[in-house]
Amino acid sequence: MREKLSVIIAVYNEEENVCPLASAIHSALLHSGMEYEVIFIDDGSTDKTKERLYSISDQQTTIIELRRNYGQTAALKAGLDHASGHFIATLDGDLQNDPQDLIMMIDLIMNNSYDIVTGIRASRKDGFLLRKLPSMIANNFVRQVTGSNIIDNGCGIKVFRADVFKGIPLYGEMHRFLVSMAVLDGAKVKQVNVRHHPRIHGKSKYGLGRTLKVLSDLLLIKFLRKYEYKPMYLFGSTGIITSFAGTMILLWLLFDKINGHEIWGRPIMFLGVLLLFTGFQIISTGLILDMIVRKHFENNFARPYRIRNIKHAGKFTEK
């Protein structure tokens, strides 16, 4: 059986880019000798992106139209759920990635023991203040928090072994950390320089505001990686220490009261009561989260998106 490549592209308001991108992908892969499919996910575009996508009628292209804008992570998840390839490639929909680089990346992952080949935009064609600077800050924080050595987490062109990609949790805004999260799970990654083109059509969806989202997501990753399956370890330990401190303060005040000293109204008394009840609350939170985690793994069937319809090989499938 020939190995198959699935190329997944999530797009939002890229009406002038999707058709040239589809042509560029087919041009790059047509003579590769590899079976492939191209999956476009329209993430609730408000321009003519959907109509332009539906005008593509080749047998290798699948169009997934989401009911509204769910975000890039959910859109990638929708594409991944419908991908059938042994390898999964991702591209941005703005024509800044070069599909010709896929050939080199596929060759690396097929002929070596790499789980992921990811790009580095060595000569990035973006403005410094609004694009390069936030990216530099974000990549530095990601490396510090995750301990990975990924240079360019924001580069959209990547190639994964399908089993590795499908093992990465996709929710929230986690698309930014796909490779770093895989590294935390032991994936072997190769980083290569890729071409990067200036954006000609459309408007960038990124900016300085992305840095704050990255910081929030990094805190979540740090928590999930350490306590995802055992939240009680964090909340239980913290709650026990807090409750113990409050109990010790109140016992000391009780001893002081027995010795004839007035304790009512002293700030230390209110601190002791606060610590005691705060500790109980933290422990209760840990128990609730532990039950939620168990329930999640027992009923893990929910999807973070809703599909309106799918067009594959010229035919629509209503959803």
Side-chain angles (χ1 to χ4, degrees):
M1 182 183 294
R2 284 200 303 169
E3 291 179 315
K4 183 177 180 180
L5 173 70
S6 297
V7 183
I8 300 175
I9 310 104
V11 293
Y12 176 69
N13 289 348
E14 299 286 359
E15 61 180 354
E16 295 177 294
N17 293 323
V18 289
C19 288
L21 178 57
S23 297
I25 293 172
H26 290 307
S27 176
L29 297 178
L30 191 59
H31 302 294
S32 67
M34 190 177 194
E35 184 181 356
Y36 71 93
E37 64 179 353
V38 181
I39 304 174
F40 280 97
I41 307 94
D42 176 35
D43 188 24
S45 296
T46 57
D47 61 0
K48 295 182 179 179
T49 297
K50 176 179 67 176
E51 288 77 7
R52 300 288 172 83
L53 285 173
Y54 284 152
S55 70
I56 302 171
S57 58
D58 58 80
Q59 297 293 310
Q60 289 84 17
T61 301
T62 298
I63 312 299
I64 300 175
E65 180 192 352
L66 301 186
R67 291 186 175 274
R68 63 173 178 82
N69 179 243
Y70 290 93
Q72 189 170 348
T73 300
L76 287 176
K77 173 65 174 171
L80 183 62
D81 288 345
H82 290 81
S84 59
H86 302 86
F87 301 95
I88 309 290
T90 64
L91 287 168
D92 285 337
D94 54 13
L95 286 177
Q96 293 194 264
N97 299 139
D98 195 324
Q100 291 291 338
D101 286 322
L102 286 174
I103 304 301
M104 171 266 296
M105 299 172 80
I106 293 165
D107 182 66
L108 280 172
I109 200 169
M110 290 182 66
N111 298 311
N112 296 275
S113 57
Y114 303 123
D115 297 305
I116 303 170
V117 177
T118 185
I120 301 171
R121 295 166 290 184
S123 300
R124 187 171 176 181
K125 309 300 183 182
D126 285 321
F128 178 78
L129 184 60
L130 295 179
R131 296 297 301 277
K132 290 184 181 179
L133 179 60
S135 182
M136 291 166 56
I137 295 171
N139 281 309
N140 182 63
F141 275 120
V142 172
R143 288 193 293 270
Q144 294 296 321
V145 172
T146 65
S148 69
N149 65 340
I150 304 304
I151 296 171
D152 191 357
N153 285 276
C155 183
I157 186 167
K158 304 175 178 72
V159 179
F160 301 78
R161 293 189 183 274
D163 59 327
V164 173
F165 199 165
K166 292 179 179 180
I168 302 173
L170 285 175
Y171 53 87
E173 295 292 326
M174 294 301 179
H175 65 276
R176 300 184 183 94
F177 313 113
L178 290 174
V179 179
S180 290
M181 288 193 295
V183 169
L184 291 175
D185 283 334
K188 187 175 180 181
V189 178
K190 175 67 175 178
Q191 302 182 70
V192 294
N193 288 338
V194 295
R195 285 165 283 196
H196 191 250
H197 303 295
R199 176 183 269 274
I200 299 174
H201 306 293
K203 184 179 179 182
S204 172
K205 317 303 187 296
Y206 302 99
L208 288 171
R210 181 176 63 165
T211 305
L212 297 178
K213 292 182 178 180
V214 168
L215 292 176
S216 300
D217 289 337
L218 281 174
L219 290 175
L220 178 60
I221 288 176
K222 189 69 174 179
F223 171 79
L224 290 178
R225 285 294 157 185
K226 199 166 184 180
Y227 302 108
E228 179 179 10
Y229 306 116
K230 46 191 178 183
M232 194 60 188
Y233 283 19
L234 172 64
F235 289 93
S237 301
T238 305
I240 289 171
I241 293 171
T242 304
S243 296
F244 180 77
T247 301
M248 290 298 99
I249 290 173
L250 294 177
L251 287 175
W252 175 72
L253 287 173
L254 176 61
F255 180 77
D256 216 24
K257 178 68 173 178
I258 293 172
N259 287 332
H261 297 101
E262 181 60 43
I263 64 171
W264 178 252
R266 292 167 63 177
I268 192 74
M269 184 192 73
F270 296 112
L271 176 62
V273 172
L274 178 63
L275 289 174
L276 180 64
F277 284 99
T278 299
F280 289 154
Q281 180 129 19
I282 293 173
I283 293 172
S284 299
T285 301
L287 290 171
I288 293 170
L289 286 174
D290 205 73
M291 288 187 287
I292 291 173
V293 167
R294 292 176 186 273
K295 184 64 70 174
H296 169 73
F297 283 103
E298 291 172 2
N299 303 284
N300 191 20
F301 302 107
R303 292 178 177 175
Y305 60 86
R306 295 289 183 273
I307 294 174
R308 186 178 302 279
N309 53 52
I310 298 174
K311 181 184 179 184
H312 176 65
K315 298 180 179 179
F316 283 92
T317 302
E318 294 294 332
K319 290 289 180 180

